[in-house]
């Protein structure tokens, strides 16, 4: 191991073996999957856990008086404990199953927002936000007469903390922000922002969609009020995610969706609600999804996460090195601290053409506005091409990306 070759700290090639999908060819080329910010691939262990549930334990949870339901319920609740440990939650009942970050933000906006926001109140969101952390707040603020206000972002792609200071006063009731920008990779100083927001009595929701796969999260150390993530960006299945909240806040919040499981008693005279976490989990949950997510976290337990994070950052450094050799490349955002996300434009080649040409060479990147239209507008671009790295990516993948970019450049010049 040498500092000169940080890739050696972490054996991405061995990790890659755990992901069967990566063994295929696309358009006659070995697949180079660089769209991890959109969704990550699934290790065999996750695929097996889901298949195993359907093969052996399939039953509804919390309801049946039979062995299968008992087994399914135990695995389902064990996964909640796994997530609680993963986030360093004080208690498992603070972990609420949702479909993903989108549903988590809608839950908080509709439940907490409806009971805590009113005319004159302000919700602050950085320009960096994903649409899923903008639109639910716009909808609830329109309904209750509160205001959504964008927090400016510097040219570097960092939140303008001075501007935030100037915006913060006691009319701010919520600051919602992503931990890492999916569009340009900014790692936001969430702990500092949480302290600033709390100083004026505001609550903070952190969207961890792009953070959880890259380093361990400790909700108690962060001091946030809500933390949300999606399982599919953490090597788990789609359709499952987590809303974590402070217990006293969750306890005081009304249910979001009504139906089975979330009640204590129902009568036409009135209904009483279940305790946490079930108050927020109406209907049959995504049982296989929960089990798959638990398996994904257990898989990550076997990975040296510090080394994996260093590996991903080394891939970004290598990317920036290769990009510097191509003057036609314009990187969008140069944040002080960035995750393994490279968002860029290639002069003379529309991002969607570039995406298509890369795909012809088996290279998967994302192109477009990345569900962050206000940020694209801030930079005056309609969209970008984005390569995003994960634990199974290698320097060879980065080489393939740049070979592909050079090929596209040759075609378009
Ligand atoms: N927030 C961020 C930063 C994201 O990158 C995404 C998905 O790309 C989301 C929220 C929405 O996640 P989901 O579609 O899983 O609800």
């Amino acid at each position: 191991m040498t500092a000169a070759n940080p890739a050696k700290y972490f054996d991405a090639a061995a990790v890659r073996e755990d992901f069967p999908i990566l063994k295929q060819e696309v358009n006659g080329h070995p697949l180079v999957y660089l769209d991890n910010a959109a969704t990550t691939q699934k290790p065999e262990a996750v695929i097996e856990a889901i298949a195993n549930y359907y093969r052996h334990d399939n039953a509804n949870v919390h309801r049946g008086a039979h062995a299968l339901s008992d087994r399914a319920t135990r695995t389902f609740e064990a996964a909640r404990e796994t997530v609680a440990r993963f986030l360093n939650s004080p208690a498992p009942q603070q972990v609420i199953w949702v479909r993903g970050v989108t549903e988590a933000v809608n839950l908080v906006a509709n439940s907490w927002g409806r009971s805590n926001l009113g005319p004159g109140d302000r919700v602050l969101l950085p320009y960096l936000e994903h649409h899923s952390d903008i639109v639910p707040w716009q909808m609830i603020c329109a309904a209750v007469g509160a205001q959504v206000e964008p927090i400016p972002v510097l040219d570097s792609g960092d939140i303008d903390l001075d501007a935030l200071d100037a915006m913060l006063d006691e009319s701010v009731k919520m600051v919602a922000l992503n931990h890492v920008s999916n569009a340009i990779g900014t790692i936001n100083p969430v702990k500092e922002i949480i302290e600033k927001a709390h100083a004026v009595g505001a609550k903070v929701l952190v969207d961890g969609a792009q953070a959880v796969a890259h380093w361990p999260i400790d909700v108690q150390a962060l001091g946030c009020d809500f933390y949300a993530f999606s399982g599919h960006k953490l090597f788990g299945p789609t359709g499952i995610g987590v809303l974590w909240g402070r217990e006293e806040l969750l306890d005081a919040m009304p249910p979001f969706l009504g139906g089975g499981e979330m009640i204590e008693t129902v009568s036409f005279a009135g209904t009483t609600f279940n305790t946490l976490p079930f108050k927020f989990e109406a209907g049959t949950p995504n049982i296989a999804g929960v089990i798959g997510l638990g398996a994904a976290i257990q898989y990550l337990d076997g990975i040296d996460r510090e080394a994996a994070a260093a590996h991903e950052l080394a891939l970004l450094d290598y990317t920036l090195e290769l990009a510097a050799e191509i003057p036609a490349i314009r990187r969008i955002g140069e944040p002080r601290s960035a995750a393994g996300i490279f968002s860029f434009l290639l002069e003379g080649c529309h991002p969607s053409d570039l995406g298509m040409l890369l795909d012809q060479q088996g290279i998967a990147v994302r192109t477009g506005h990345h569900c962050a239209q206000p940020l694209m507008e801030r930079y005056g671009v309609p969209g970008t091409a984005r390569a995003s790295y994960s634990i199974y990516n290698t320097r060879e993948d980065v080489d393939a990306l740049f070979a592909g970019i050079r090929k596209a450049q040759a075609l378009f010049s």
Side-chain angles (χ1 to χ4, degrees):
M1 292 195 300
T2 68
N5 186 356
K8 282 196 177 169
Y9 284 110
F10 180 74
D11 192 352
V15 169
R16 204 177 174 85
E17 289 300 307
D18 297 334
F19 291 78
I21 201 169
L22 297 175
K23 297 189 174 117
Q24 66 184 288
E25 291 202 339
V26 169
N27 294 325
H29 299 271
L31 170 63
V32 175
Y33 186 78
L34 301 178
D35 196 16
N36 295 288
T39 200
T40 51
Q41 299 302 348
K42 319 305 169 200
E44 192 68 55
V46 168
I47 299 167
E48 242 334 281
I50 296 168
N52 191 56
Y53 161 70
Y54 280 126
R55 272 200 201 102
H56 302 291
D57 299 336
N58 178 48
N60 214 326
V61 287
H62 303 134
R63 295 175 193 191
H66 56 85
L68 265 57
S69 177
D70 184 50
R71 287 207 298 263
T73 304
R74 281 170 200 262
T75 321
F76 181 88
E77 288 304 328
R80 197 188 307 270
E81 284 173 22
T82 301
V83 171
R85 174 179 52 74
F86 180 70
L87 295 176
N88 193 26
S89 170
Q93 66 269 23
Q94 291 169 260
V95 171
I96 313 290
W97 301 124
V98 288
R99 279 190 297 137
V101 170
T102 303
E103 187 177 315
V105 179
N106 276 278
L107 190 163
V108 177
N110 279 278
S111 170
W112 178 89
R114 200 173 288 282
S115 25
N116 289 280
L117 295 174
D121 290 338
R122 296 155 69 218
V123 173
L124 306 187
L125 316 170
Y127 266 95
L128 289 168
E129 287 319 288
H130 188 279
H131 296 165
S132 63
D133 196 30
I134 299 175
V135 184
W137 293 113
Q138 288 176 325
M139 289 164 70
I140 196 69
C141 285
V144 301
Q147 289 296 325
V148 170
E149 290 178 25
I151 307 168
V153 165
L154 303 168
D155 288 345
S156 61
D158 291 297
I159 293 175
D160 184 340
L161 293 175
D162 293 335
L164 172 62
D165 284 339
M167 294 172 84
L168 280 170
D169 64 30
E170 279 166 17
S171 66
V172 177
K173 296 291 184 282
M174 168 63 72
V175 177
L177 79 165
N178 56 43
H179 203 156
V180 173
S181 155
N182 64 306
I184 58 171
T186 312
I187 301 176
N188 288 315
V190 283
K191 195 170 160 56
E192 189 182 341
I193 291 173
I194 290 164
E195 283 164 9
K196 286 175 187 290
H198 282 174
V200 295
K203 302 287 180 261
V204 180
L205 181 153
V206 180
D207 160 5
Q210 297 297 338
V212 282
H214 305 295
W215 61 81
I217 303 299
D218 182 335
V219 288
Q220 296 189 65
L222 282 177
C224 55
D225 299 292
F226 300 101
Y227 197 96
F229 72 89
S230 299
H232 69 99
K233 296 188 198 277
L234 184 71
F235 314 108
T238 50
I240 187 68
V242 166
L243 169 68
W244 177 89
R246 280 187 192 279
E247 192 154 9
E248 67 277 15
L249 292 176
L250 293 172
D251 259 335
M253 284 159 54
F256 171 43
L257 300 174
E261 273 301 286
M262 51 74 72
I263 52 88
E264 187 185 42
T265 60
V266 176
S267 83
F268 284 106
T271 289
T272 57
F273 303 124
N274 209 336
T275 51
L276 290 177
F278 310 111
K279 178 173 78 171
F280 291 112
E281 295 178 357
T284 299
N286 180 354
I287 303 165
V290 164
I291 290 169
L293 176 54
I297 293 175
Q298 276 165 2
Y299 172 79
L300 270 180
D301 285 345
I303 301 269
D304 178 343
R305 299 204 68 200
E306 209 178 307
H311 167 74
E312 289 172 5
L313 288 183
L315 292 181
L316 179 65
D317 285 346
Y318 184 47
T319 302
L320 298 180
E321 228 175 86
L322 297 189
E325 293 168 7
I326 306 179
I329 287 184
R330 173 182 162 206
R331 183 184 180 198
I332 301 298
E334 288 191 30
R336 274 191 291 270
S337 179
I341 290 177
F342 179 58
S343 209
F344 67 102
L345 293 170
L346 179 66
E347 198 183 314
C349 182
H350 192 279
S352 51
D353 292 334
L354 178 60
M356 208 177 60
L357 287 166
L358 291 173
D359 180 54
Q360 283 171 6
Q361 298 165 67
I363 303 160
V365 297
R366 171 92 182 255
T367 63
H369 54 60
H370 315 296
C371 296
Q373 281 182 343
L375 185 67
M376 298 295 117
E377 203 181 308
R378 162 70 181 78
Y379 281 108
V381 298
T384 72
R386 180 189 72 187
S388 49
Y389 300 123
S390 187
I391 50 176
Y392 37 66
N393 289 122
T394 60
R395 281 169 76 94
E396 289 71 34
D397 289 342
V398 183
D399 289 333
L401 171 67
F402 279 88
I405 292 173
R406 285 187 186 280
K407 231 172 178 172
Q409 198 184 13
L411 274 174
F412 277 83
S413 60

